[in-house]
Amino acid sequence: MKILVTGGAGYIGSHVVHELNDQGHEVIILDNFSLGRQENVDKRSVVIEGDVRNRSDLDKGLQGVDVVFHFAAWKAAGESMIHPQKFAENNIAGTINLLNAMLDHNVDKFVFSSSAAVYGNPEYLPIDEQHPKNPTNYYGYTKLAIEENLAWYSRLKGLHYAALRYFNATGYDVKGRIRGKEKNAANLSPVVMEAAAGLRNELQVYGDDYNTPDGTCIRDYIHVNDLADAHLKAMDYIVKENNNLIVNLGTGSGHSVLDVIHAAEAEVGKKIPYKIVGRRAGDPENLIASSELAYKLLGWKAKYSDLHTIFSSMKPVYFG
Ligand SMILES: NC(=O)c1ccc[n+]([C@@H]2O[C@H](COP(=O)([O-])OP(=O)(O)OC[C@H]3O[C@@H](n4cnc5c(N)ncnc54)[C@H](O)[C@@H]3O)[C@@H](O)[C@H]2O)c1
């Protein structure tokens, strides 16, 4: 199939592009390279340096396309609380612009990068897809707004879509094909590896007085190769079943901040300096996904998301 991948030079998109090419699909990447990296672009793809907010770039990219994978967005949740306009423009208006262009080009299949941020603070664990959606940051709201719009476009215009709610994406390609570090990474595992590689002086742990076994927050870490696998299965599902799909992508279990630091230390063979500081506002103590629905509908289960595989896949990117 011919597939347009927006944000295909970014962290998750570049991994998915490799997987799509491996499976013999024809891939067109549309990326403005604000946060993408040329060195992570799979050379088997056509690249359009352009923007989803620009209609003529979309008209170029959508010619003859069967499916769109949409990764292009801003993702810094903290920044979204300070500059919501920026997130409204790229994540909401940019996506609506893309969807409208797709309708004009008769492209009716869409795989959307949603997020666990649509749920907000957990009311129960593990979080399943029926959990109430109360985002606590504007970024999460942008994802929810698009999910709601997708439901309308499906009803009114026959769009088929998958909304994939990622939990904490982590790791790098287990085959070592991605060498450029994620730009502006704010998640724990890249920050831990930056501290390990001496790229940052100190690692701060926000609170050790949570009601968890070691007092630090617990998150569900999902390896980016597992995410890539889920994207291809999600595409097959919406194509073959002619149905929409809304699923969590996580492992169903979690690791504390200290578990993560200790696993990284074991992998790099040295102590990683960290300092316990106060809690950060708005951090839930525990976020774990139920991914049973993804297993039931797609036969998908995480294979690479143990901490050892996560850090062994990250090590070459940080240490060469
Ligand atoms: N990384 C995570 O843990 C995580 C978790 C949940 C959801 N997501 C979502 O997954 C998607 C991909 O995330 P990522 O971690 O790969 O981020 P990323 O920043 O590495 O990749 C985004 C890519 O999109 C490009 N881009 C941004 N705006 C664009 C625009 N207007 N036009 C064209 N290109 C544009 C950037 O240059 C970059 O290459 C995002 O939608 C993000 O919200 C990520």
Side-chain angles (χ1 to χ4, degrees):
M1 273 189 293
K2 188 165 174 181
I3 297 162
L4 175 68
V5 182
T6 75
Y11 170 53
I12 301 171
S14 59
H15 286 83
V16 173
V17 164
H18 274 91
E19 192 67 29
L20 286 169
N21 279 313
D22 284 354
Q23 296 206 8
H25 296 289
E26 191 182 340
V27 179
I28 302 154
I29 293 171
L30 176 69
D31 200 300
N32 64 13
F33 288 90
S34 53
L35 293 173
R37 286 191 181 273
Q38 286 287 357
E39 74 250 53
N40 288 343
V41 166
D42 185 333
K43 301 284 180 291
R44 295 171 288 182
S45 328
V46 170
V47 180
I48 299 172
E49 182 160 355
D51 200 292
V52 296
R53 293 164 288 188
N54 181 325
R55 179 58 189 249
S56 66
D57 292 341
L58 291 174
D59 287 339
K60 265 188 249 161
L62 283 165
Q63 302 291 332
V65 157
D66 301 299
V67 184
V68 172
F69 283 61
H70 181 43
F71 297 96
W74 306 137
K75 64 173 178 182
E79 189 193 358
S80 77
M81 299 297 277
I82 301 162
H83 301 300
Q85 316 90 304
K86 190 177 155 185
F87 284 69
E89 200 224 353
N90 205 13
N91 296 14
I92 301 180
T95 305
I96 301 291
N97 198 37
L98 169 62
L99 289 168
N100 289 350
M102 283 173 58
L103 294 179
D104 291 345
H105 285 263
N106 297 315
V107 181
D108 65 353
K109 294 185 181 61
F110 188 69
V111 179
F112 176 58
S113 297
S114 189
S115 167
V118 298
Y119 296 116
N121 288 319
E123 292 182 12
Y124 57 85
L125 292 169
I127 298 171
D128 59 22
E129 289 79 359
Q130 302 311 317
H131 186 284
K133 280 82 186 167
N134 290 313
T136 52
N137 52 60
Y138 188 78
Y139 164 74
Y141 165 70
T142 67
K143 296 293 180 183
L144 186 58
I146 295 302
E147 283 199 15
E148 288 174 349
N149 191 80
L150 289 173
W152 280 104
Y153 273 31
S154 178
R155 253 171 75 187
L156 302 175
K157 303 303 280 180
L159 181 79
H160 298 293
Y161 69 93
L164 305 179
R165 297 176 180 154
Y166 319 153
F167 278 62
N168 286 58
T170 187
Y172 281 97
D173 184 34
V174 290
K175 294 185 185 152
R177 294 171 295 186
I178 301 288
R179 304 308 289 235
K181 285 192 258 315
E182 181 185 355
K183 285 192 192 164
N184 288 2
N187 288 348
L188 178 63
S189 47
V191 168
V192 167
M193 288 304 266
E194 283 175 15
L199 301 174
R200 63 168 63 220
N201 289 337
E202 192 180 70
L203 173 62
Q204 296 194 325
V205 175
Y206 298 107
D208 65 351
D209 56 352
Y210 287 94
N211 187 21
T212 60
D214 66 19
T216 63
C217 288
I218 292 178
R219 295 289 178 270
D220 190 336
Y221 294 91
I222 182 79
H223 194 286
V224 67
N225 284 124
D226 283 327
L227 287 181
D229 178 35
H231 280 74
L232 274 85
K233 290 188 160 79
M235 173 176 72
D236 287 348
Y237 180 90
I238 61 171
V239 169
K240 289 193 188 125
E241 304 290 325
N242 219 9
N243 214 345
N244 299 325
L245 175 78
I246 303 174
V247 288
N248 289 340
L249 297 177
T251 65
S253 63
H255 301 290
S256 74
V257 176
L258 293 182
D259 286 342
V260 168
I261 294 173
H262 295 143
E265 286 177 337
E267 202 55 48
V268 302
K270 63 175 177 187
K271 282 269 165 217
I272 300 172
Y274 66 87
K275 186 170 153 197
I276 308 279
V277 296
R279 290 184 180 198
R280 199 166 49 174
D283 269 347
E285 83 189 4
N286 199 339
L287 284 179
I288 293 176
S290 163
S291 273
E292 279 177 24
L293 191 60
Y295 181 62
K296 192 169 138 207
L297 297 179
L298 306 177
W300 174 86
K301 227 179 165 55
K303 284 191 296 225
Y304 302 108
S305 297
D306 59 283
L307 290 178
H308 167 65
T309 308
I310 287 170
F311 284 108
S312 61
S313 71
M314 295 181 84
K315 198 173 159 190
V317 176
Y318 287 86
F319 290 90

